[in-house]
């Protein structure tokens, strides 16, 4: 049988003898030529112009693609957070709780610093001989208004000593033990403070009541007192230093035929907010009412047969004596 031999096929037109397609060789050659021409022609050549045109045409497509990919990236971040291991989440939670505790501690420290600064300013402004104390409890019954402080006889505290907050007068020591003392607040119905209206110098007696309100008594209707006036200690009786702030007038009324105003006073300090206080350990002669002020108080109310000074001094003294008896 005769055998047929086919002639070897030629690779011309499909590739070089090494198997590399001629089209690839042509593209590489053209690319090299374009690179050389692009470098040599500078920024103003035709090749750069063509490239700029293609970039301008392609920019909207690139922006649209980036916009379309944004939700996918966001979802990827959410998925990554959701798939975070439990240990990482626990660490983050613990760190968050620790930071919250630190913020609370710093806030409390700042509040304490502000309160102590206020007490120091009050002591310096009025040149008070005093001892700082901390409030450790408040009265729990509805018929007394008192607080308990952490200083007693071992710290030089005695019955009758006035007590102030950083805002002003809050009361008077009524009972005292070795390491603690009870302070009767000015809102207590058995409390009384010799006081006056700062602007008009009208003398009166500040008294508490069972409902916790505070009134300024013995202010005659021919004297000046208005809502918003500041009420301060008068220094009569020698118990409270003169000029300490107590509160502001919140209401003034006059009953028909009455010789006196019914004056309600809003204390500057709230018992519920008391934390640190000053106990005034001594009152100097310069911190008491002057002779002229005492005389003015004596002549303020002649019609009742009892001067304002005598009434005020008697009330303060009675409170001190009764407090001393209860302490003994």
């Amino acid at each position: 049988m005769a055998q047929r031999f086919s002639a070897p096929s030629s690779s011309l037109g499909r590739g070089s003898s090494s198997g590399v397609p001629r089209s690839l060789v042509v593209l590489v050659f053209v690319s090299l030529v374009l690179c050389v021409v692009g470098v040599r022609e500078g920024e103003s050549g035709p090749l750069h112009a063509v490239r700029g045109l293609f970039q301008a045409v392609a920019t909207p497509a690139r922006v649209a693609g980036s916009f379309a990919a944004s939700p996918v990236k966001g979802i990827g971040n959410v998925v990554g957070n959701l798939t975070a291991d439990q240990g990482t989440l626990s660490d983050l939670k613990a760190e968050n709780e620790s930071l919250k505790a630190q913020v609370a501690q710093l806030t409390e420290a700042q509040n304490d610093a502000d309160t102590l600064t206020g007490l120091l300013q009050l002591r310096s402004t009025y040149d008070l001989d005093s001892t700082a104390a901390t409030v450790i409890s408040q009265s729990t019954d509805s018929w007394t208004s008192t607080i308990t402080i952490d200083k007693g006889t071992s710290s030089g505290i005695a019955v009758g000593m006035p007590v102030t907050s950083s805002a002003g007068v809050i009361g008077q020591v009524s009972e005292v033990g070795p390491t603690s003392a009870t302070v009767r607040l000015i809102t207590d119905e058995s409390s009384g403070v010799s006081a006056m209206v700062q602007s008009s110098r009208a003398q009166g007696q500040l008294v508490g009541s069972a409902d916790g309100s505070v009134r300024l008594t013995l202010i005659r209707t021919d004297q000046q007192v208005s809502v918003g006036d500041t009420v301060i200690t008068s220094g009569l009786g020698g118990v409270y230093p003169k000029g300490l702030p107590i509160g502001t007038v919140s209401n003034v009324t006059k009953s028909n035929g009455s010789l006196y105003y019914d004056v309600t006073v809003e204390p500057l300090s709230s018992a519920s907010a008391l934390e640190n206080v000053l106990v005034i350990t001594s009152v100097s002669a310069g911190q008491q009412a002057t002779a002229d002020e005492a005389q003015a108080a004596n002549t303020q109310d002649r019609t009742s047969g009892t001067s304002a000074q005598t009434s005020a001094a008697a009330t303060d003294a009675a409170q001190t004596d009764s407090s001393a008896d209860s302490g003994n």
Side-chain angles (χ1 to χ4, degrees), residues 171-258:
Q172 187 178 12
V173 175
S174 58
E175 298 179 19
V176 63
T179 58
S180 65
T182 300
V183 178
R184 179 192 295 116
L185 302 178
I186 59 176
T187 53
D188 190 275
E189 61 180 332
S190 61
S191 175
V193 181
S194 301
M196 65 180 176
V197 180
Q198 187 176 39
S199 57
S200 64
R201 319 305 286 180
Q203 304 275 356
Q205 185 74 7
L206 194 78
V207 296
S209 61
D211 61 3
S213 61
V214 179
R215 296 182 299 111
L216 182 61
T217 62
L218 303 177
I219 303 297
R220 296 197 319 264
T221 55
D222 61 348
Q223 295 176 304
Q224 295 295 321
V225 57
S226 303
V227 172
D229 284 347
T230 299
V231 178
I232 61 175
T233 54
S234 65
L236 294 174
V239 176
Y240 290 87
K242 174 185 173 183
L244 291 178
I246 303 175
T248 56
V249 175
S250 58
N251 187 51
V252 181
T253 58
K254 177 182 177 296
S255 301
N256 292 333
S258 177

Side-chain angles (χ1 to χ4, degrees), residues 90-309:
S90 299
D91 291 343
L92 291 175
K93 183 177 180 180
E95 183 179 1
N96 185 44
E97 295 298 329
S98 176
L99 291 175
K100 286 183 178 179
Q102 292 180 26
V103 170
Q105 292 175 356
L106 291 174
T107 301
E108 186 65 20
Q110 183 62 51
N111 291 337
D112 290 341
D114 292 341
T115 300
L116 294 176
T117 299
L119 291 175
L120 291 174
Q121 290 177 345
L122 184 74
R123 180 167 64 181
S124 175
T125 300
Y126 294 94
D127 193 22
L128 302 175
D129 291 330
S130 60
T131 299
T134 300
V135 177
I136 56 178
S137 68
Q138 298 184 7
S139 56
T140 56
D141 54 73
S142 58
W143 55 88
T144 59
S145 183
T146 62
I147 59 173
T148 303
I149 59 177
D150 65 347
K151 295 291 178 65
T153 54
S154 60
S155 301
I157 307 301
V159 170
M161 289 181 173
V163 182
T164 75
S165 69
S166 58
V169 172
I170 62 169
Q172 187 178 12
V173 175
S174 58
E175 298 179 19
V176 63
T179 58
S180 65
T182 300
V183 178
R184 179 192 295 116
L185 302 178
I186 59 176
T187 53
D188 190 275
E189 61 180 332
S190 61
S191 175
V193 181
S194 301
M196 65 180 176
V197 180
Q198 187 176 39
S199 57
S200 64
R201 319 305 286 180
Q203 304 275 356
Q205 185 74 7
L206 194 78
V207 296
S209 61
D211 61 3
S213 61
V214 179
R215 296 182 299 111
L216 182 61
T217 62
L218 303 177
I219 303 297
R220 296 197 319 264
T221 55
D222 61 348
Q223 295 176 304
Q224 295 295 321
V225 57
S226 303
V227 172
D229 284 347
T230 299
V231 178
I232 61 175
T233 54
S234 65
L236 294 174
V239 176
Y240 290 87
K242 174 185 173 183
L244 291 178
I246 303 175
T248 56
V249 175
S250 58
N251 187 51
V252 181
T253 58
K254 177 182 177 296
S255 301
N256 292 333
S258 177
L259 297 176
Y260 302 98
Y261 284 117
D262 185 7
V263 182
T264 305
V265 176
E266 181 69 26
L268 294 176
S269 297
S270 172
S272 60
L274 293 175
E275 295 183 357
N276 298 284
V277 297
L278 281 181
V279 181
I280 301 173
T281 54
S282 65
V283 179
S284 65
Q287 294 172 324
Q288 300 179 22
T290 64
D292 291 341
E293 290 168 336
Q295 182 62 31
N298 280 329
T299 59
Q300 180 170 300
D301 189 3
R302 297 298 188 182
T303 59
S304 64
T306 302
S307 70
Q309 180 196 15

